[in-house]
Amino acid sequence: MKRVIVFVSLIFLCANIFCKEIIRDDMIGKNNRFEINETFYFIEFINESEFTFYYPYGGYNGKNLHYTLKNNKLTLISENGKPFDDDKMNKLLFPKGNKTVLIYEENSDDFWCKELFRNENICLRNFKNNTEVGSKCSLDGTKVIKHNGREFVLANENLRLREKPDLKAATGTFNYQSYFGTAESLLTGKYTYKGYKVNSFTDYPLLLKGMTVKYEAVTVDQQTIDGITAPWYRIVLEDNREEGAWPQRYWVFGGYLSEIDDPKNPEYEKQLIQSSVEKGILVKQ
């Protein structure tokens, strides 16, 4: 996912239960972040009727587009619905053709924050009021309980990585070469881990048995799979290199997970190495 630091966000003020009306002056001349499925774009409202997408490091994306703002309803308009070269992004930006409507919802509970502009695919956020840990909220359309992202789970079996909390959802992959590698591995090209060679074909669709990972959310609804009823967990996968890699987030079924307090337990590592050897990810030197 593309991530960039934003310096100025939209400011929306609420008094008691009534939201102050959003006016153009709140937006014009300010750098606003536009988030689509955790990918950030930046939007600049130029005047009373025009906006454009820009890059924080300089430059603009194509010609100016039009917008309207009335009764706290923001409508973004594109002449052809394709401001970007990436068709996937265009469909997210303008899912119904050449317009997308964003409505302010004062009492919206979202995983990232409570107050936001949004439609089904797009959120224009101010990040002012964060959703509290432990509260029920929505994460990409799924009802979840938010966690702090610092708690750990242990995989008791090899578990398929899913893009959504559903057995029919697309499968994701994780690069175990980077996970087992180090900064030195990048320099030398020799990926080894505690007496094992790390194979290069290690983009793998599984959370391996014995692996300990952080999680940031648990689904409110539970599912019964293989006779086990449990929620799904949204896990955060990171590698072990000193400079790190951008975290990958997937869903795994909780029926084969254990919540743990001791992620560095050597017994877990033994299980992980065994699982990796069985899958051909690690090979004894």
Side-chain angles (χ1 to χ4, degrees):
M1 297 290 183
K2 300 175 184 176
R3 296 277 183 168
V4 188
I5 296 175
V6 64
F7 298 101
V8 183
S9 301
L10 281 176
I11 299 175
F12 302 124
L13 301 177
C14 292
N16 299 323
I17 62 173
F18 298 103
C19 175
K20 175 184 175 180
E21 183 179 0
I22 301 166
I23 58 176
R24 285 175 170 80
D25 287 345
D26 292 331
M27 302 184 298
I28 295 176
K30 295 179 180 180
N31 301 332
N32 309 299
R33 182 163 64 179
F34 207 51
E35 182 176 340
I36 308 168
N37 289 0
E38 300 174 6
T39 298
F40 294 160
Y41 287 91
F42 296 82
I43 184 171
E44 179 178 331
F45 294 94
I46 301 168
N47 52 41
E48 293 287 322
S49 62
E50 294 180 300
F51 76 96
T52 187
F53 294 100
Y54 74 96
Y55 303 102
Y57 303 114
Y60 290 85
N61 188 76
K63 61 183 180 180
N64 297 348
L65 306 176
H66 290 87
Y67 75 95
T68 62
L69 178 64
K70 185 178 181 180
N71 298 327
N72 284 0
K73 180 182 290 186
L74 175 66
T75 302
L76 306 180
I77 306 167
S78 171
E79 292 182 2
N80 58 12
K82 295 183 178 181
F84 292 98
D85 294 333
D86 188 335
D87 283 338
K88 182 178 180 181
M89 287 297 102
N90 288 325
K91 289 179 181 178
L92 287 173
L93 279 165
F94 297 99
K96 295 184 178 180
N98 69 339
K99 292 184 180 180
T100 192
V101 179
L102 300 97
I103 302 174
Y104 183 78
E105 297 183 71
E106 181 181 355
N107 297 314
S108 175
D109 283 325
D110 175 82
F111 184 81
W112 304 108
C113 60
K114 287 186 176 181
E115 296 174 355
L116 47 88
F117 278 99
R118 73 177 183 182
N119 66 13
E120 183 177 357
N121 296 301
I122 306 169
C123 296
L124 182 61
R125 309 174 188 273
N126 68 357
F127 285 87
K128 181 180 178 182
N129 297 312
N130 294 329
T131 301
E132 295 180 0
V133 170
S135 62
K136 293 181 180 180
C137 52
S138 177
L139 173 56
D140 294 335
T142 298
K143 294 295 183 182
V144 300
I145 298 171
K146 183 175 182 178
H147 287 256
N148 60 24
R150 296 188 294 272
E151 300 162 292
F152 285 85
V153 287
L154 165 71
N156 298 314
E157 300 289 342
N158 295 327
L159 296 174
R160 186 76 58 173
L161 300 169
R162 300 286 183 183
E163 298 283 354
K164 295 181 179 180
D166 191 321
L167 285 179
K168 297 180 181 179
T171 300
T173 62
F174 181 63
N175 189 282
Y176 280 94
Q177 185 182 61
S178 294
Y179 177 78
F180 286 117
T182 62
E184 183 179 356
S185 299
L186 288 176
L187 294 174
T188 63
K190 297 179 180 180
Y191 286 80
T192 59
Y193 185 78
K194 297 190 176 181
Y196 293 86
K197 176 187 175 183
V198 186
N199 274 329
S200 60
F201 60 88
T202 50
D203 273 348
Y204 222 75
L206 297 175
L207 177 68
L208 294 176
K209 180 179 179 180
M211 196 164 176
T212 60
V213 291
K214 297 175 183 178
Y215 67 97
E216 60 186 11
V218 176
T219 59
V220 172
D221 295 332
Q222 300 191 3
Q223 261 190 301
T224 300
I225 300 173
D226 297 331
I228 302 173
T229 300
W232 288 75
Y233 283 68
R234 164 100 154 192
I235 61 170
V236 183
L237 289 164
E238 301 173 293
D239 65 29
N240 288 329
R241 292 179 295 171
E242 292 181 5
E243 73 278 13
W246 196 258
Q248 292 176 261
R249 291 169 165 84
Y250 292 113
W251 293 94
V252 288
F253 179 59
Y256 298 99
L257 296 174
S258 296
E259 296 182 6
I260 58 172
D261 297 320
D262 55 343
K264 299 298 184 180
N265 189 320
E267 291 300 316
Y268 303 154
E269 185 178 44
K270 290 179 182 178
Q271 294 178 26
L272 175 58
I273 290 175
Q274 182 179 346
S275 301
S276 301
V277 170
E278 291 173 355
K279 294 298 181 183
I281 294 172
L282 295 180
V283 179
K284 190 70 176 179
Q285 288 186 309

